[in-house]
Amino acid sequence: MVRIEDGSAVPLEVFRSLAEESLTGVYLIQDGRLVYANRRLAEIFGYPRQEMLELHSVLEVIAAADRPLVQERLRQRIEGEIDAIEYTVRGRRQDGQLIHLDVRSVRTFHNGLPAVMGSMLDVTAQKRMEETLRRMSIIDDLTGVYNRRGFSTLADSHQALARRRKRELLLIFADVDALKSINDQYGHAAGDQILRDAAALLRRTYRSADIIARLGGDEFTAFPLEADSGSASLLVDRLQEAIQAHNHANERPYMLSMSVGVGHFDPTACQTVEQLLEEADRALYERKRNRKAGPG
């Protein structure tokens, strides 16, 4: 029985069944060792699965320089200092190749004792592409996120991979409300700051491996690497909650507000990234119209 920190229990056989179907690496760690590793995790590290489970420590598949970080993160969750965490770390495959991993994990219990359950996504190709794109000057100077050129390059590759794997995707389109009014009333320095704030919020709200870009002016987009149609409301709500927390924490005469729309990628349809953006843009303006109309 695997018991998650919120008290809910999942029978181990159900956990295994769900994990084996996952496209991301799924693991269960207890006493510093892998208790469970799904098929995809073994593929990521290039090990036969049984050999992974026989490792003396999970740190054996972590780059030496990053082992203290991983050890500390494990300790924090096992001892209950933090319940869930997300971070990027370098792993080491069986052949010695270093890889970049996006890690998400939660504190749990296995056989009545503390354990860590989580997932790993291999983002090595993404990291290499990011470095190449930086050299091509595709980062927005003001906000530090991708500009339209960078987004288009990454998004096309991301969409092509999803089509091959027959996987749904979501594209989030957002614009900063009342940017012109802020510029007019408080000056362009304030307008620039709110654009930087919007970009920083998008980066903090979504996974480090997701594609975040400023398309121009007040328009931004987020293209999650792992999200389907069922998580659309959750992703939008998460952003709005982050915006509220930001406004509460910052004492400024103006507030950050963003309108959001979502585009849905169907791997069986012939959609382009631009068509996804157009769909998300229409959804955004529909939300704006409904908000202005109000109840009744």
Side-chain angles (χ1 to χ4, degrees), residues 86 92 120 129 164 189:
E86 176 186 349
R92 181 178 290 278
M120 287 186 179
M129 178 69 80
R164 286 198 301 271

Side-chain angles (χ1 to χ4, degrees), residues 31-47:
D31 295 328
R33 299 183 63 172
L34 285 162
V35 177
Y36 170 78
N38 75 342
R39 189 166 45 241
R40 178 56 186 148
L41 191 78
E43 291 172 355
I44 287 172
F45 287 100
Y47 278 85

Side-chain angles (χ1 to χ4, degrees), residues 212-224:
I212 309 297
R214 179 186 176 207
L215 300 180
D218 61 1
E219 296 179 340
F220 292 85
T221 187
F223 206 2

Side-chain angles (χ1 to χ4, degrees), residues 8-111:
S8 58
V10 181
L12 189 57
E13 60 272 17
V14 175
F15 168 76
R16 289 179 186 273
S17 177
L18 293 171
E20 287 304 316
E21 299 301 318
S22 177
L23 296 175
T24 60
V26 178
Y27 62 86
L28 186 64
I29 297 172
Q30 194 169 64
D31 295 328
R33 299 183 63 172
L34 285 162
V35 177
Y36 170 78
N38 75 342
R39 189 166 45 241
R40 178 56 186 148
L41 191 78
E43 291 172 355
I44 287 172
F45 287 100
Y47 278 85
R49 181 156 36 171
Q50 188 56 39
E51 284 189 28
M52 286 205 75
L53 298 177
E54 293 171 357
L55 295 174
H56 295 295
S57 169
V58 68
L59 296 179
E60 292 182 44
V61 295
I62 302 299
D66 290 354
R67 288 174 186 173
L69 170 66
V70 173
Q71 193 166 29
E72 175 62 11
R73 293 288 188 259
L74 286 171
R75 184 198 66 77
Q76 288 174 323
R77 275 158 297 156
I78 290 294
E79 296 182 7
E81 290 182 14
I82 51 176
D83 296 332
I85 197 168
E86 176 186 349
Y87 61 105
T88 302
V89 68
R90 288 170 299 172
R92 181 178 290 278
R93 286 173 49 87
Q94 189 177 38
D95 61 10
Q97 179 187 351
L98 289 180
I99 55 176
H100 293 270
L101 302 163
D102 191 55
V103 180
R104 300 184 103 184
S105 62
V106 297
R107 187 172 190 251
T108 185
F109 291 88
H110 174 56
N111 293 333

Side-chain angles (χ1 to χ4, degrees), residues 55-248:
L55 295 174
H56 295 295
S57 169
V58 68
L59 296 179
E60 292 182 44
V61 295
I62 302 299
D66 290 354
R67 288 174 186 173
L69 170 66
V70 173
Q71 193 166 29
E72 175 62 11
R73 293 288 188 259
L74 286 171
R75 184 198 66 77
Q76 288 174 323
R77 275 158 297 156
I78 290 294
E79 296 182 7
E81 290 182 14
I82 51 176
D83 296 332
I85 197 168
E86 176 186 349
Y87 61 105
T88 302
V89 68
R90 288 170 299 172
R92 181 178 290 278
R93 286 173 49 87
Q94 189 177 38
D95 61 10
Q97 179 187 351
L98 289 180
I99 55 176
H100 293 270
L101 302 163
D102 191 55
V103 180
R104 300 184 103 184
S105 62
V106 297
R107 187 172 190 251
T108 185
F109 291 88
H110 174 56
N111 293 333
L113 297 173
V116 173
M117 177 174 64
S119 65
M120 287 186 179
L121 183 65
D122 184 352
V123 295
T124 305
Q126 175 86 0
K127 291 294 183 182
R128 288 173 180 165
M129 178 69 80
E130 286 176 2
E131 185 58 34
T132 300
L133 291 175
R134 284 191 185 95
R135 292 196 295 267
M136 293 167 59
S137 299
I138 46 58
I139 300 297
D140 180 58
D141 289 337
L142 177 64
T143 62
V145 299
Y146 292 113
N147 59 22
R148 181 178 281 273
R149 180 182 177 187
F151 169 76
S152 296
T153 304
L154 277 173
D156 285 343
S157 174
H158 179 34
Q159 188 189 45
L161 179 62
R163 182 174 282 115
R164 286 198 301 271
R165 293 181 175 177
K166 297 181 171 55
R167 198 174 70 219
E168 285 184 86
L169 291 175
L170 294 178
L171 184 144
I172 298 164
F173 184 78
D175 68 18
V176 176
D177 297 325
L179 178 61
K180 184 178 184 304
S181 297
I182 292 170
N183 280 329
D184 291 346
Q185 188 169 356
Y186 301 103
H188 285 276
D192 287 350
Q193 183 59 54
I194 210 161
L195 289 172
R196 285 192 289 266
D197 290 345
L201 271 175
L202 285 165
R203 282 190 293 195
R204 289 199 302 268
T205 301
Y206 300 115
R207 295 175 67 146
S208 58
D210 295 342
I211 303 167
I212 309 297
R214 179 186 176 207
L215 300 180
D218 61 1
E219 296 179 340
F220 292 85
T221 187
F223 206 2
L225 293 182
E226 295 287 338
D228 57 29
S229 56
S231 58
S233 296
L234 176 65
L235 292 174
V236 172
D237 290 346
R238 188 187 299 170
L239 177 59
Q240 295 299 345
E241 288 168 6
I243 291 171
Q244 290 176 14
H246 168 83
N247 286 329
H248 181 74

